[in-house]
Amino acid sequence: MLDGAEYDLSQAVLDELKLRLKGPVLVDGNAGFEESRTVWNAMIDRKPAFVVRCLGTADVLACVRFAREHNLLMCIKGGGHNIAGLAVADGAMMLDMSLMRGVWTDDKEKIVRVQAGGLLGDVDRDTQLHGLATPLGFVSLTGVAGLTLGGGFGYLSRRYGWTVDNVVGMDIVTAEGELVHASRDENADLFWALRGGGGNFGVITGFNYKLYPVGPVVVGGFVAWPASEATEVVELFKEQAEKVPNELSLVMIIRPAPAVPWLPKDRHGTPIVLVGACYSGRLEDGDKIVAPIKSFGKPIGDILVRRPYIQLQSLLDAGNPKGRRCYWKSEYLPQIEPAFSKKFINHAAKIQSPYSSAVLFQLGGAINQVDDEHLPVGNRDARYVFTLTSAWEKTEADTANIEWTRQAWTDMKQFSTGGTYLNFLTEDDGLERTKAALGKGFDLLAKVKAKWDPENVFRTNRNIKPA
Ligand SMILES: Cc1cc2nc3c(=O)[nH]c(=O)nc-3n(C[C@H](O)[C@H](O)[C@H](O)COP(=O)(O)OP(=O)(O)OC[C@H]3O[C@@H](n4cnc5c(N)ncnc54)[C@H](O)[C@@H]3O)c2cc1C
């Protein structure tokens, strides 16, 4: 229950709920319950009391009203990718949104409407039919809801900003069990808070995003070198990142080479450094702009080519499957200092698992062109974000992987802007880290929370207590 007490939910009560719904109700033992309760990060092992697979806004509304009538704790699952497992809570009523994946593109108005259970790939697939896109993340299986509510960045963010900078409206079921629309002209305080303040204010049923002409072909992909070249490649990355136009977005990764066909077999499992790129402007310009990367040193693999944007958006999917044990740490950087580069390379050399990476994303561009008060997502001074993403399979390897991540992070956080990305926070990141992510917006969010959710009904998230 919401007050933490145990509640014996009788079959009669569940049957009453079922009568109000179109989507199925699942309890432990029912087909699909395990799929719903498990999330991307296998370190998270929580069990909701039951799951409702919502089949539309009316189901969401019925669930929230039912939860209020019975004082039940609720959790909401979008794509289930949150590293801290915020989609699932023990003993809660879970609203699993994964049956609500409708996408409607209006190519005249350049707006896409997405149901809240949609995945990034669902959106790109539909909008790219019209040569349009909105900035989303790098892995197509991530949920739009969690990504958007915490900010959202990807290959198009340097051109068009955070995902949340491009939301023009949301439909939301509030703690009162009312369906409201939030946009610049309607419930403007709620609209502001939802764009970066996480799932604190209600259950979103749909998002409307602004679209831009992109692709359908871009210049994108990866070039790889042995990690022995890392010092030079970091310099190349930095030099390019500081001068390229916003149409180009770069990422650098140091990790053991995955067993992919474009890398030589004898390199698989050995440490490599990769630069990833997406140029979303004119293809001829893109070919020229990535040439210094492609011709640098002696790459052991190169798939940085003209390719469909939609293909680029799913290039990292296979390497990020659901069900591995994961632990991340992350910080925003104002610049890449030589001392940082050295530490980054040294720590990456001690990675503990073939699936782990040390990643450096280039930010800047449109992200930095508005001030911190614009939206709660904040951190508009960030030029880069580094992320240590540990992933492994066996419980016995937990300690080694977590320790590597924590040690590397502790040693490198001196270079941080002091801010961190809400959507990369892990289970052991507490309130201070939420505040670091939300910056100046935190106090105002608490006030908006007091208006829209004074009893803190929506609390199984990066929780902001009502002011
Ligand atoms: C492999 C991988 C790649 C990633 N890449 C990127 C990236 O490129 N860019 C980026 O910005 N982030 C990225 N992320 C981080 C990602 O943005 C977060 O993990 C985000 O929380 C995922 O959203 P989700 O809907 O899948 O998550 P979930 O775990 O389902 O939900 C996350 C939070 O949102 C809440 N929520 C979900 N749906 C709703 C709803 N309808 N209404 C209200 N609250 C809701 C949940 O309750 C929970 O608190 C990545 C994560 C992973 C695991």
Side-chain angles (χ1 to χ4, degrees), residues 39-40 75-83 85-87 97 116 137-139 141-147 149 151-154 162 199 202-205 320 328 421 423-424 460-462:
V39 290
W40 182 79
C75 60
I76 305 130
K77 185 179 183 192
H81 264 53
N82 189 274
I83 182 80
L86 297 178
M97 307 293 281
F138 295 83
V139 172
L141 304 171
T142 312
V144 290
L147 178 122
L149 292 169
F153 75 95
W162 290 98
V203 187
I204 315 299
T205 57
N320 290 282
W328 293 4
Y421 180 31
N423 275 344
F424 287 170
T460 57
N461 42 37
R462 285 273 148 215

mmCIF file of all heavy atoms in Angstrom, residues 39-40 75-83 85-87 97 116 137-139 141-147 149 151-154 162 199 202-205 320 328 421 423-424 460-462, ligand 1:
data_model
loop_
_atom_site.group_PDB
_atom_site.id
_atom_site.type_symbol
_atom_site.label_atom_id
_atom_site.label_comp_id
_atom_site.label_asym_id
_atom_site.label_seq_id
_atom_site.Cartn_x
_atom_site.Cartn_y
_atom_site.Cartn_z
ATOM 1 N N VAL A 39 13.202 -6.318 -15.910
ATOM 2 C CA VAL A 39 13.600 -5.128 -16.672
ATOM 3 C C VAL A 39 14.944 -5.393 -17.336
ATOM 4 O O VAL A 39 15.535 -6.461 -17.167
ATOM 5 C CB VAL A 39 13.650 -3.870 -15.762
ATOM 6 C CG1 VAL A 39 12.252 -3.455 -15.339
ATOM 7 C CG2 VAL A 39 14.558 -4.064 -14.562
ATOM 8 N N TRP A 40 15.429 -4.401 -18.071
ATOM 9 C CA TRP A 40 16.659 -4.565 -18.869
ATOM 10 C C TRP A 40 17.840 -4.988 -17.987
ATOM 11 O O TRP A 40 18.605 -5.881 -18.342
ATOM 12 C CB TRP A 40 16.953 -3.228 -19.568
ATOM 13 C CG TRP A 40 18.141 -3.259 -20.445
ATOM 14 C CD1 TRP A 40 18.205 -3.768 -21.710
ATOM 15 C CD2 TRP A 40 19.455 -2.763 -20.133
ATOM 16 N NE1 TRP A 40 19.473 -3.622 -22.202
ATOM 17 C CE2 TRP A 40 20.255 -3.009 -21.261
ATOM 18 C CE3 TRP A 40 20.013 -2.139 -19.015
ATOM 19 C CZ2 TRP A 40 21.600 -2.642 -21.310
ATOM 20 C CZ3 TRP A 40 21.352 -1.776 -19.055
ATOM 21 C CH2 TRP A 40 22.132 -2.025 -20.191
ATOM 22 N N CYS A 75 3.588 1.350 -9.823
ATOM 23 C CA CYS A 75 4.812 1.594 -10.585
ATOM 24 C C CYS A 75 4.431 1.532 -12.065
ATOM 25 O O CYS A 75 3.446 0.891 -12.428
ATOM 26 C CB CYS A 75 5.917 0.612 -10.223
ATOM 27 S SG CYS A 75 5.537 -1.113 -10.512
ATOM 28 N N ILE A 76 5.207 2.224 -12.889
ATOM 29 C CA ILE A 76 4.859 2.339 -14.308
ATOM 30 C C ILE A 76 6.032 1.893 -15.140
ATOM 31 O O ILE A 76 7.154 2.362 -14.951
ATOM 32 C CB ILE A 76 4.497 3.799 -14.660
ATOM 33 C CG1 ILE A 76 3.395 4.293 -13.736
ATOM 34 C CG2 ILE A 76 4.065 3.941 -16.114
ATOM 35 C CD1 ILE A 76 3.689 5.608 -13.109
ATOM 36 N N LYS A 77 5.759 0.983 -16.087
ATOM 37 C CA LYS A 77 6.843 0.480 -16.941
ATOM 38 C C LYS A 77 6.658 0.941 -18.378
ATOM 39 O O LYS A 77 5.613 0.705 -18.990
ATOM 40 C CB LYS A 77 6.872 -1.054 -16.891
ATOM 41 C CG LYS A 77 8.051 -1.636 -17.656
ATOM 42 C CD LYS A 77 8.069 -3.162 -17.566
ATOM 43 C CE LYS A 77 9.275 -3.731 -18.273
ATOM 44 N NZ LYS A 77 9.157 -5.190 -18.447
ATOM 45 N N GLY A 78 7.690 1.639 -18.891
ATOM 46 C CA GLY A 78 7.700 2.016 -20.304
ATOM 47 C C GLY A 78 8.476 0.939 -21.046
ATOM 48 O O GLY A 78 8.031 -0.195 -21.209
ATOM 49 N N GLY A 79 9.707 1.284 -21.455
ATOM 50 C CA GLY A 79 10.549 0.304 -22.154
ATOM 51 C C GLY A 79 11.339 -0.570 -21.188
ATOM 52 O O GLY A 79 12.042 -1.492 -21.616
ATOM 53 N N GLY A 80 11.276 -0.269 -19.883
ATOM 54 C CA GLY A 80 11.981 -1.088 -18.882
ATOM 55 C C GLY A 80 13.494 -0.956 -18.924
ATOM 56 O O GLY A 80 14.211 -1.776 -18.363
ATOM 57 N N HIS A 81 14.020 0.088 -19.580
ATOM 58 C CA HIS A 81 15.477 0.209 -19.744
ATOM 59 C C HIS A 81 16.156 0.952 -18.607
ATOM 60 O O HIS A 81 17.371 1.033 -18.578
ATOM 61 C CB HIS A 81 15.791 0.925 -21.065
ATOM 62 C CG HIS A 81 16.077 -0.031 -22.177
ATOM 63 N ND1 HIS A 81 15.217 -1.035 -22.509
ATOM 64 C CD2 HIS A 81 17.133 -0.150 -23.021
ATOM 65 C CE1 HIS A 81 15.718 -1.723 -23.514
ATOM 66 N NE2 HIS A 81 16.887 -1.218 -23.838
ATOM 67 N N ASN A 82 15.389 1.521 -17.696
ATOM 68 C CA ASN A 82 16.046 2.315 -16.656
ATOM 69 C C ASN A 82 17.007 1.444 -15.850
ATOM 70 O O ASN A 82 16.620 0.410 -15.309
ATOM 71 C CB ASN A 82 14.987 2.944 -15.741
ATOM 72 C CG ASN A 82 15.610 3.930 -14.795
ATOM 73 O OD1 ASN A 82 16.088 3.559 -13.735
ATOM 74 N ND2 ASN A 82 15.653 5.179 -15.214
ATOM 75 N N ILE A 83 18.250 1.902 -15.767
ATOM 76 C CA ILE A 83 19.319 1.112 -15.145
ATOM 77 C C ILE A 83 19.040 0.859 -13.666
ATOM 78 O O ILE A 83 19.406 -0.178 -13.110
ATOM 79 C CB ILE A 83 20.685 1.817 -15.378
ATOM 80 C CG1 ILE A 83 21.865 1.037 -14.798
ATOM 81 C CG2 ILE A 83 20.717 3.223 -14.866
ATOM 82 C CD1 ILE A 83 22.320 -0.066 -15.636
ATOM 83 N N GLY A 85 16.125 0.404 -12.486
ATOM 84 C CA GLY A 85 14.928 -0.431 -12.383
ATOM 85 C C GLY A 85 13.715 0.291 -11.830
ATOM 86 O O GLY A 85 12.858 -0.309 -11.175
ATOM 87 N N LEU A 86 13.607 1.593 -12.131
ATOM 88 C CA LEU A 86 12.530 2.391 -11.543
ATOM 89 C C LEU A 86 11.138 1.969 -12.008
ATOM 90 O O LEU A 86 10.140 2.394 -11.442
ATOM 91 C CB LEU A 86 12.746 3.876 -11.854
ATOM 92 C CG LEU A 86 14.020 4.504 -11.280
ATOM 93 C CD1 LEU A 86 14.139 5.965 -11.707
ATOM 94 C CD2 LEU A 86 14.023 4.400 -9.758
ATOM 95 N N ALA A 87 11.078 1.118 -13.035
ATOM 96 C CA ALA A 87 9.773 0.705 -13.559
ATOM 97 C C ALA A 87 9.099 -0.344 -12.675
ATOM 98 O O ALA A 87 7.911 -0.618 -12.841
ATOM 99 C CB ALA A 87 9.947 0.149 -14.970
ATOM 100 N N MET A 97 3.024 -0.516 -19.868
ATOM 101 C CA MET A 97 2.494 0.256 -21.004
ATOM 102 C C MET A 97 2.859 -0.356 -22.359
ATOM 103 O O MET A 97 2.615 0.242 -23.409
ATOM 104 C CB MET A 97 3.044 1.686 -20.941
ATOM 105 C CG MET A 97 2.825 2.402 -19.628
ATOM 106 S SD MET A 97 1.104 2.757 -19.303
ATOM 107 C CE MET A 97 0.880 4.187 -20.350
ATOM 108 N N ALA A 116 2.568 6.053 -24.995
ATOM 109 C CA ALA A 116 3.656 6.066 -24.000
ATOM 110 C C ALA A 116 4.409 4.745 -23.865
ATOM 111 O O ALA A 116 5.469 4.707 -23.250
ATOM 112 C CB ALA A 116 3.121 6.506 -22.650
ATOM 113 N N GLY A 137 17.364 8.474 -28.515
ATOM 114 C CA GLY A 137 18.644 7.910 -28.074
ATOM 115 C C GLY A 137 19.302 6.967 -29.073
ATOM 116 O O GLY A 137 18.851 6.838 -30.213
ATOM 117 N N PHE A 138 20.347 6.285 -28.615
ATOM 118 C CA PHE A 138 21.224 5.485 -29.480
ATOM 119 C C PHE A 138 20.810 4.022 -29.614
ATOM 120 O O PHE A 138 21.389 3.297 -30.411
ATOM 121 C CB PHE A 138 22.656 5.506 -28.930
ATOM 122 C CG PHE A 138 23.308 6.859 -28.953
ATOM 123 C CD1 PHE A 138 23.083 7.777 -27.945
ATOM 124 C CD2 PHE A 138 24.152 7.213 -30.002
ATOM 125 C CE1 PHE A 138 23.696 9.027 -27.964
ATOM 126 C CE2 PHE A 138 24.757 8.463 -30.030
ATOM 127 C CZ PHE A 138 24.533 9.377 -29.014
ATOM 128 N N VAL A 139 19.865 3.561 -28.785
ATOM 129 C CA VAL A 139 19.474 2.137 -28.823
ATOM 130 C C VAL A 139 17.970 2.072 -29.063
ATOM 131 O O VAL A 139 17.181 2.600 -28.266
ATOM 132 C CB VAL A 139 19.870 1.429 -27.501
ATOM 133 C CG1 VAL A 139 19.313 0.018 -27.440
ATOM 134 C CG2 VAL A 139 21.394 1.400 -27.361
ATOM 135 N N LEU A 141 15.639 0.010 -28.768
ATOM 136 C CA LEU A 141 14.719 -0.731 -27.902
ATOM 137 C C LEU A 141 14.406 0.007 -26.591
ATOM 138 O O LEU A 141 13.657 -0.484 -25.759
ATOM 139 C CB LEU A 141 15.309 -2.112 -27.582
ATOM 140 C CG LEU A 141 15.659 -2.934 -28.827
ATOM 141 C CD1 LEU A 141 16.445 -4.181 -28.466
ATOM 142 C CD2 LEU A 141 14.397 -3.320 -29.590
ATOM 143 N N THR A 142 14.994 1.188 -26.415
ATOM 144 C CA THR A 142 14.735 1.995 -25.221
ATOM 145 C C THR A 142 13.317 2.582 -25.309
ATOM 146 O O THR A 142 12.841 2.906 -26.395
ATOM 147 C CB THR A 142 15.769 3.150 -25.153
ATOM 148 O OG1 THR A 142 17.063 2.608 -25.368
ATOM 149 C CG2 THR A 142 15.729 3.881 -23.833
ATOM 150 N N GLY A 143 12.666 2.752 -24.148
ATOM 151 C CA GLY A 143 11.314 3.319 -24.141
ATOM 152 C C GLY A 143 11.327 4.827 -24.329
ATOM 153 O O GLY A 143 12.160 5.515 -23.740
ATOM 154 N N VAL A 144 10.394 5.345 -25.123
ATOM 155 C CA VAL A 144 10.318 6.804 -25.299
ATOM 156 C C VAL A 144 9.950 7.494 -23.988
ATOM 157 O O VAL A 144 10.424 8.599 -23.712
ATOM 158 C CB VAL A 144 9.292 7.259 -26.375
ATOM 159 C CG1 VAL A 144 9.726 6.911 -27.765
ATOM 160 C CG2 VAL A 144 7.897 6.760 -26.088
ATOM 161 N N ALA A 145 9.127 6.834 -23.167
ATOM 162 C CA ALA A 145 8.589 7.521 -21.983
ATOM 163 C C ALA A 145 9.689 7.866 -20.993
ATOM 164 O O ALA A 145 9.890 9.037 -20.658
ATOM 165 C CB ALA A 145 7.511 6.662 -21.324
ATOM 166 N N GLY A 146 10.417 6.853 -20.537
ATOM 167 C CA GLY A 146 11.480 7.118 -19.554
ATOM 168 C C GLY A 146 12.537 8.028 -20.135
ATOM 169 O O GLY A 146 13.001 8.967 -19.478
ATOM 170 N N LEU A 147 12.920 7.778 -21.382
ATOM 171 C CA LEU A 147 13.959 8.606 -22.016
ATOM 172 C C LEU A 147 13.519 10.067 -22.058
ATOM 173 O O LEU A 147 14.267 10.974 -21.680
ATOM 174 C CB LEU A 147 14.257 8.081 -23.423
ATOM 175 C CG LEU A 147 15.290 8.876 -24.219
ATOM 176 C CD1 LEU A 147 16.469 7.995 -24.649
ATOM 177 C CD2 LEU A 147 14.699 9.534 -25.449
ATOM 178 N N LEU A 149 11.061 11.641 -20.293
ATOM 179 C CA LEU A 149 10.785 12.269 -18.986
ATOM 180 C C LEU A 149 12.064 12.671 -18.260
ATOM 181 O O LEU A 149 12.058 13.579 -17.428
ATOM 182 C CB LEU A 149 9.948 11.322 -18.117
ATOM 183 C CG LEU A 149 8.514 11.105 -18.630
ATOM 184 C CD1 LEU A 149 7.830 9.957 -17.892
ATOM 185 C CD2 LEU A 149 7.681 12.370 -18.494
ATOM 186 N N GLY A 151 14.948 13.589 -20.031
ATOM 187 C CA GLY A 151 15.764 14.446 -20.896
ATOM 188 C C GLY A 151 15.851 13.892 -22.305
ATOM 189 O O GLY A 151 15.169 14.338 -23.202
ATOM 190 N N GLY A 152 16.703 12.890 -22.498
ATOM 191 C CA GLY A 152 16.833 12.225 -23.797
ATOM 192 C C GLY A 152 17.812 12.890 -24.727
ATOM 193 O O GLY A 152 17.619 14.033 -25.146
ATOM 194 N N PHE A 153 18.889 12.196 -25.060
ATOM 195 C CA PHE A 153 19.796 12.728 -26.080
ATOM 196 C C PHE A 153 20.257 11.604 -27.008
ATOM 197 O O PHE A 153 20.261 10.432 -26.637
ATOM 198 C CB PHE A 153 21.005 13.459 -25.466
ATOM 199 C CG PHE A 153 22.042 12.526 -24.873
ATOM 200 C CD1 PHE A 153 23.148 12.131 -25.620
ATOM 201 C CD2 PHE A 153 21.896 12.047 -23.590
ATOM 202 C CE1 PHE A 153 24.099 11.264 -25.080
ATOM 203 C CE2 PHE A 153 22.835 11.181 -23.038
ATOM 204 C CZ PHE A 153 23.940 10.790 -23.789
ATOM 205 N N GLY A 154 20.651 12.002 -28.208
ATOM 206 C CA GLY A 154 21.121 11.044 -29.203
ATOM 207 C C GLY A 154 21.849 11.770 -30.308
ATOM 208 O O GLY A 154 22.284 12.917 -30.136
ATOM 209 N N TRP A 162 17.747 18.435 -26.566
ATOM 210 C CA TRP A 162 17.288 17.255 -25.845
ATOM 211 C C TRP A 162 15.987 16.780 -26.474
ATOM 212 O O TRP A 162 15.226 17.581 -27.033
ATOM 213 C CB TRP A 162 16.995 17.602 -24.381
ATOM 214 C CG TRP A 162 18.181 17.905 -23.523
ATOM 215 C CD1 TRP A 162 18.665 19.135 -23.200
ATOM 216 C CD2 TRP A 162 19.018 16.960 -22.861
ATOM 217 N NE1 TRP A 162 19.752 18.999 -22.372
ATOM 218 C CE2 TRP A 162 19.995 17.681 -22.147
ATOM 219 C CE3 TRP A 162 19.037 15.557 -22.791
ATOM 220 C CZ2 TRP A 162 20.979 17.060 -21.375
ATOM 221 C CZ3 TRP A 162 20.016 14.947 -22.027
ATOM 222 C CH2 TRP A 162 20.963 15.690 -21.332
ATOM 223 N N GLY A 199 9.054 10.682 -13.847
ATOM 224 C CA GLY A 199 7.648 10.259 -13.797
ATOM 225 C C GLY A 199 6.931 10.702 -12.536
ATOM 226 O O GLY A 199 6.023 10.019 -12.069
ATOM 227 N N GLY A 202 2.487 11.930 -12.747
ATOM 228 C CA GLY A 202 1.337 11.190 -13.236
ATOM 229 C C GLY A 202 1.767 10.162 -14.262
ATOM 230 O O GLY A 202 2.964 9.935 -14.465
ATOM 231 N N VAL A 203 0.786 9.542 -14.895
ATOM 232 C CA VAL A 203 1.097 8.553 -15.936
ATOM 233 C C VAL A 203 0.875 9.204 -17.293
ATOM 234 O O VAL A 203 -0.252 9.616 -17.610
ATOM 235 C CB VAL A 203 0.199 7.298 -15.822
ATOM 236 C CG1 VAL A 203 0.681 6.231 -16.803
ATOM 237 C CG2 VAL A 203 0.166 6.765 -14.407
ATOM 238 N N ILE A 204 1.922 9.296 -18.075
ATOM 239 C CA ILE A 204 1.792 9.859 -19.421
ATOM 240 C C ILE A 204 1.162 8.786 -20.312
ATOM 241 O O ILE A 204 1.559 7.624 -20.248
ATOM 242 C CB ILE A 204 3.173 10.219 -20.030
ATOM 243 C CG1 ILE A 204 4.067 10.951 -19.043
ATOM 244 C CG2 ILE A 204 3.011 11.001 -21.336
ATOM 245 C CD1 ILE A 204 3.542 12.242 -18.556
ATOM 246 N N THR A 205 0.188 9.207 -21.117
ATOM 247 C CA THR A 205 -0.372 8.229 -22.059
ATOM 248 C C THR A 205 0.086 8.492 -23.490
ATOM 249 O O THR A 205 0.092 7.594 -24.316
ATOM 250 C CB THR A 205 -1.916 8.211 -22.000
ATOM 251 O OG1 THR A 205 -2.387 9.537 -22.270
ATOM 252 C CG2 THR A 205 -2.402 7.762 -20.633
ATOM 253 N N ASN A 320 23.399 -4.608 -26.646
ATOM 254 C CA ASN A 320 22.779 -4.164 -25.383
ATOM 255 C C ASN A 320 21.500 -4.937 -25.086
ATOM 256 O O ASN A 320 20.423 -4.359 -24.939
ATOM 257 C CB ASN A 320 22.461 -2.662 -25.464
ATOM 258 C CG ASN A 320 23.718 -1.827 -25.441
ATOM 259 O OD1 ASN A 320 24.317 -1.619 -24.393
ATOM 260 N ND2 ASN A 320 24.132 -1.352 -26.608
ATOM 261 N N TRP A 328 26.205 1.307 -13.772
ATOM 262 C CA TRP A 328 26.738 2.453 -14.517
ATOM 263 C C TRP A 328 27.106 3.583 -13.566
ATOM 264 O O TRP A 328 26.497 3.745 -12.510
ATOM 265 C CB TRP A 328 25.690 3.034 -15.474
ATOM 266 C CG TRP A 328 25.255 2.202 -16.632
ATOM 267 C CD1 TRP A 328 25.622 0.910 -16.917
ATOM 268 C CD2 TRP A 328 24.345 2.598 -17.671
ATOM 269 N NE1 TRP A 328 24.987 0.486 -18.068
ATOM 270 C CE2 TRP A 328 24.205 1.495 -18.550
ATOM 271 C CE3 TRP A 328 23.638 3.761 -17.949
ATOM 272 C CZ2 TRP A 328 23.384 1.541 -19.691
ATOM 273 C CZ3 TRP A 328 22.819 3.806 -19.072
ATOM 274 C CH2 TRP A 328 22.706 2.709 -19.936
ATOM 275 N N TYR A 421 23.533 12.965 -15.432
ATOM 276 C CA TYR A 421 22.325 12.771 -16.232
ATOM 277 C C TYR A 421 21.331 11.877 -15.477
ATOM 278 O O TYR A 421 21.648 10.742 -15.129
ATOM 279 C CB TYR A 421 22.718 12.161 -17.577
ATOM 280 C CG TYR A 421 21.568 11.894 -18.519
ATOM 281 C CD1 TYR A 421 20.425 12.692 -18.512
ATOM 282 C CD2 TYR A 421 21.612 10.849 -19.429
ATOM 283 C CE1 TYR A 421 19.373 12.452 -19.370
ATOM 284 C CE2 TYR A 421 20.566 10.594 -20.299
ATOM 285 C CZ TYR A 421 19.450 11.396 -20.256
ATOM 286 O OH TYR A 421 18.405 11.150 -21.112
ATOM 287 N N ASN A 423 18.858 10.108 -16.319
ATOM 288 C CA ASN A 423 18.529 8.806 -16.901
ATOM 289 C C ASN A 423 19.664 7.797 -16.813
ATOM 290 O O ASN A 423 19.475 6.637 -17.169
ATOM 291 C CB ASN A 423 18.132 8.968 -18.369
ATOM 292 C CG ASN A 423 16.674 9.312 -18.515
ATOM 293 O OD1 ASN A 423 15.897 9.144 -17.590
ATOM 294 N ND2 ASN A 423 16.292 9.807 -19.687
ATOM 295 N N PHE A 424 20.847 8.225 -16.390
ATOM 296 C CA PHE A 424 21.945 7.271 -16.233
ATOM 297 C C PHE A 424 22.195 6.945 -14.754
ATOM 298 O O PHE A 424 23.137 6.230 -14.437
ATOM 299 C CB PHE A 424 23.240 7.822 -16.856
ATOM 300 C CG PHE A 424 23.273 7.838 -18.370
ATOM 301 C CD1 PHE A 424 24.303 8.493 -19.056
ATOM 302 C CD2 PHE A 424 22.314 7.187 -19.129
ATOM 303 C CE1 PHE A 424 24.351 8.506 -20.450
ATOM 304 C CE2 PHE A 424 22.348 7.200 -20.528
ATOM 305 C CZ PHE A 424 23.376 7.861 -21.187
ATOM 306 N N THR A 460 7.564 5.816 -7.084
ATOM 307 C CA THR A 460 8.525 4.767 -7.426
ATOM 308 C C THR A 460 9.356 5.234 -8.620
ATOM 309 O O THR A 460 9.352 4.628 -9.680
ATOM 310 C CB THR A 460 7.800 3.450 -7.754
ATOM 311 O OG1 THR A 460 6.891 3.714 -8.822
ATOM 312 C CG2 THR A 460 7.055 2.901 -6.568
ATOM 313 N N ASN A 461 10.031 6.367 -8.443
ATOM 314 C CA ASN A 461 10.785 7.005 -9.523
ATOM 315 C C ASN A 461 11.950 7.741 -8.872
ATOM 316 O O ASN A 461 12.213 7.538 -7.687
ATOM 317 C CB ASN A 461 9.872 7.982 -10.283
ATOM 318 C CG ASN A 461 9.004 8.791 -9.325
ATOM 319 O OD1 ASN A 461 9.452 9.165 -8.248
ATOM 320 N ND2 ASN A 461 7.780 9.068 -9.700
ATOM 321 N N ARG A 462 12.635 8.626 -9.595
ATOM 322 C CA ARG A 462 13.618 9.520 -8.957
ATOM 323 C C ARG A 462 12.790 10.515 -8.176
ATOM 324 O O ARG A 462 12.420 11.583 -8.689
ATOM 325 C CB ARG A 462 14.445 10.252 -10.010
ATOM 326 C CG ARG A 462 15.459 9.410 -10.657
ATOM 327 C CD ARG A 462 16.760 9.372 -9.892
ATOM 328 N NE ARG A 462 17.382 8.070 -10.077
ATOM 329 C CZ ARG A 462 18.090 7.424 -9.162
ATOM 330 N NH1 ARG A 462 18.307 7.946 -7.994
ATOM 331 N NH2 ARG A 462 18.601 6.252 -9.409
HETATM 332 C C1 LIG B 1 20.938 0.199 -23.490
HETATM 333 C C2 LIG B 1 20.533 1.582 -23.071
HETATM 334 C C3 LIG B 1 20.781 2.643 -23.914
HETATM 335 C C4 LIG B 1 20.423 3.936 -23.547
HETATM 336 N N1 LIG B 1 20.697 4.967 -24.391
HETATM 337 C C5 LIG B 1 20.288 6.208 -24.083
HETATM 338 C C6 LIG B 1 20.497 7.282 -24.986
HETATM 339 O O1 LIG B 1 21.059 7.104 -26.054
HETATM 340 N N2 LIG B 1 20.058 8.504 -24.642
HETATM 341 C C7 LIG B 1 19.429 8.737 -23.462
HETATM 342 O O2 LIG B 1 19.046 9.876 -23.215
HETATM 343 N N3 LIG B 1 19.223 7.745 -22.575
HETATM 344 C C8 LIG B 1 19.636 6.489 -22.870
HETATM 345 N N4 LIG B 1 19.438 5.479 -21.981
HETATM 346 C C9 LIG B 1 18.840 5.776 -20.679
HETATM 347 C C10 LIG B 1 17.328 5.795 -20.806
HETATM 348 O O3 LIG B 1 16.915 7.080 -21.226
HETATM 349 C C11 LIG B 1 16.688 5.511 -19.445
HETATM 350 O O4 LIG B 1 17.081 4.227 -19.064
HETATM 351 C C12 LIG B 1 15.173 5.616 -19.485
HETATM 352 O O5 LIG B 1 14.695 5.602 -18.156
HETATM 353 C C13 LIG B 1 14.560 4.483 -20.258
HETATM 354 O O6 LIG B 1 13.196 4.655 -20.433
HETATM 355 P P1 LIG B 1 12.225 3.391 -20.427
HETATM 356 O O7 LIG B 1 10.839 3.845 -20.716
HETATM 357 O O8 LIG B 1 12.789 2.304 -21.257
HETATM 358 O O9 LIG B 1 12.401 2.974 -18.913
HETATM 359 P P2 LIG B 1 11.491 2.389 -17.759
HETATM 360 O O10 LIG B 1 12.460 1.625 -16.935
HETATM 361 O O11 LIG B 1 10.300 1.673 -18.253
HETATM 362 O O12 LIG B 1 11.007 3.706 -17.021
HETATM 363 C C14 LIG B 1 11.879 4.675 -16.523
HETATM 364 C C15 LIG B 1 11.147 5.631 -15.582
HETATM 365 O O13 LIG B 1 10.118 6.298 -16.299
HETATM 366 C C16 LIG B 1 8.850 6.052 -15.683
HETATM 367 N N5 LIG B 1 7.829 5.898 -16.720
HETATM 368 C C17 LIG B 1 7.849 5.041 -17.766
HETATM 369 N N6 LIG B 1 6.742 5.203 -18.491
HETATM 370 C C18 LIG B 1 6.008 6.166 -17.896
HETATM 371 C C19 LIG B 1 4.770 6.788 -18.183
HETATM 372 N N7 LIG B 1 4.035 6.434 -19.230
HETATM 373 N N8 LIG B 1 4.325 7.761 -17.347
HETATM 374 C C20 LIG B 1 5.042 8.132 -16.263
HETATM 375 N N9 LIG B 1 6.218 7.580 -15.934
HETATM 376 C C21 LIG B 1 6.702 6.613 -16.754
HETATM 377 C C22 LIG B 1 9.036 4.766 -14.917
HETATM 378 O O14 LIG B 1 8.096 4.626 -13.885
HETATM 379 C C23 LIG B 1 10.443 4.928 -14.409
HETATM 380 O O15 LIG B 1 10.460 5.758 -13.283
HETATM 381 C C24 LIG B 1 19.782 4.170 -22.314
HETATM 382 C C25 LIG B 1 19.533 3.101 -21.462
HETATM 383 C C26 LIG B 1 19.897 1.820 -21.835
HETATM 384 C C27 LIG B 1 19.656 0.686 -20.901
#
